[in-house]
Amino acid sequence: MDRAPLLQIGEITERMREALEARFAIDVLFEQADRTAFLAEHGARYEAILTNGHWGVPEDVAAATPNVRVISSYGVGYDAIDADAYAARGVLVAHTPGVLNDEVAVTAIALWLACYRQIVAADAHARSGAWEEGGFPLTRSPMDRRVGILGLGRIGKTIAEMAGAFRAEIHYTARSPKDVPWQFHETPEALAEAVDVLVVITPGGAATRNLVNAAVLRALGPEGCLVNVARGSVVDEAALVAALESGALGMAGLDVFEAEPVIPDALKRIEGRVVLLPHVGSATHETRAAMGDLAVRNLVRWLDDGTVETPVPECAGG
Ligand code: 8YV
């Protein structure tokens, strides 16, 4: 059987490669010596693209692949793919919802706990021998706090449920109130005002750009803790640095940044109160295997019957 050409953008696991190779002839974009020439010569051959949440479909790829019919993204967030435009052209965009809810929620909770209990600074204290000069200062208990969820989707709900183990009182904001036993707030600012910990887990993209601005950070306050496991674009990073530096905001646990993989030096300089992760929200062997399997199933199913298992909502109608 002829294998279908597949353009791969970004990295995939060996497990994904092995599963795909039976049905697809994979060309890896970042392995091409001259990307522009490669896209100009071969772009029109591809009906299938495999990408991830970070790369999405870059403009040069979109322009060079007029015959694309399916885009499978290895990740749930698809703000780097123009799904509306692809849906209008009848192109199927698929992502990996559901299978990473627990892992991203664990990451959010871990960042919150790391900030409150100063895990990273305490580790440095233990490692450096500073303990021999004196004990580590007391920290703050995460128990019985008010936790706000900014974006109550699948992952947001899982975070809220996990926070229950810490007897958290849950508040949230979303486009509209949901059928949940938690307290709804109309705006991010009102939510920030009402909570101790604000967890950002909205989709990225134009609609949520800088939703967490200086006013929201001020409302969260000098004792407040911001956790971002969504996209760097949702938080005004300059305002975040300023709020942390001035003490207007207490703490921040961040897995995502505006210009990944670059993190502003100003953020790196703030120790103790700030915990930084290199976008590893879903990055465990188990969860990446499940995400990879789903991204692969979407492509194989498209080859078999022209549909995908988990289309993005924009493409779910047809
Ligand atoms: C991945 C993510 O890191 O699923 C997402 O939206 O942010 C992460 O799980 C992303 O797909 C980049 O590979």
Side-chain angles (χ1 to χ4, degrees):
M1 189 170 31
D2 273 355
R3 295 186 305 159
L6 173 68
L7 181 61
Q8 177 197 325
I9 304 170
E11 285 172 13
I12 62 174
T13 60
E14 214 27 58
R15 175 186 171 103
M16 291 169 77
R17 172 174 316 288
E18 279 167 19
L20 284 166
E21 267 174 348
R23 306 291 303 276
F24 291 92
I26 307 171
D27 295 318
V28 184
L29 185 59
F30 64 76
E31 284 175 0
Q32 308 306 321
D34 186 335
R35 171 179 173 129
T36 309
F38 174 82
L39 284 173
E41 191 177 340
H42 301 287
R45 292 199 303 125
Y46 299 104
E47 292 188 336
I49 291 177
L50 173 59
T51 186
N52 64 31
H54 179 72
W55 294 110
V57 183
E59 271 175 31
D60 61 338
V61 176
T65 52
N67 299 315
V68 68
R69 291 174 54 209
V70 65
I71 297 161
S72 176
S73 189
Y74 169 45
V76 67
Y78 57 96
D79 46 296
I81 303 174
D82 190 347
D84 282 321
Y86 279 120
R89 282 168 48 196
V91 177
L92 275 174
V93 179
H95 63 153
T96 63
V99 294
L100 42 51
N101 295 353
D102 287 346
E103 216 65 73
V104 179
V106 165
T107 305
I109 301 280
L111 281 169
W112 161 34
L113 302 184
C115 285
Y116 265 66
R117 298 302 314 273
Q118 299 270 294
I119 298 294
V120 178
D123 174 275
H125 189 89
R127 238 170 245 283
S128 67
W131 188 14
E132 289 158 33
E133 312 302 320
F136 192 71
L138 299 183
T139 61
R140 309 260 302 276
S141 174
M143 299 307 293
D144 302 296
R145 297 289 173 182
R146 297 163 303 166
V147 173
I149 312 288
L150 181 53
L152 198 73
R154 286 173 290 251
I155 304 173
K157 282 184 185 151
T158 309
I159 295 169
E161 283 158 11
M162 281 190 192
F166 302 90
R167 290 193 301 268
E169 180 185 296
I170 304 295
H171 298 242
Y172 73 100
T173 188
R175 274 181 297 243
S176 55
K178 312 227 175 189
D179 185 19
V180 290
W182 306 315
Q183 202 172 319
F184 175 74
H185 298 266
E186 294 281 349
T187 63
E189 207 175 324
L191 178 66
E193 188 80 53
V195 299
D196 304 299
V197 183
L198 181 64
V199 183
V200 182
I201 185 62
T202 58
T208 57
R209 181 164 298 281
N210 290 351
L211 202 57
V212 177
N213 56 22
V216 174
L217 297 170
R218 239 189 338 269
L220 194 52
E223 307 279 295
C225 176
L226 179 80
V227 172
N228 189 2
V229 287
R231 287 288 181 264
S233 60
V234 185
V235 175
D236 180 340
E237 209 163 72
L240 174 62
V241 170
L244 284 164
E245 280 177 341
S246 72
L249 175 68
M251 299 167 262
L254 308 169
D255 184 43
V256 290
F257 304 88
E258 246 169 44
E260 293 174 14
V262 178
I263 301 178
D265 285 337
L267 269 179
K268 293 185 203 158
R269 275 197 295 269
I270 310 169
E271 286 172 18
R273 297 188 296 130
V274 173
V275 177
L276 307 172
L277 295 179
H279 198 149
V280 290
S282 66
T284 63
H285 290 292
E286 295 82 358
T287 294
R288 285 294 168 85
M291 290 163 66
D293 289 352
L294 181 49
V296 169
R297 284 205 304 280
N298 278 321
L299 285 169
V300 171
R301 176 159 151 178
W302 171 79
L303 214 49
D304 287 340
D305 70 6
T307 68
V308 293
E309 185 176 326
T310 46
V312 301
E314 290 85 340
C315 298

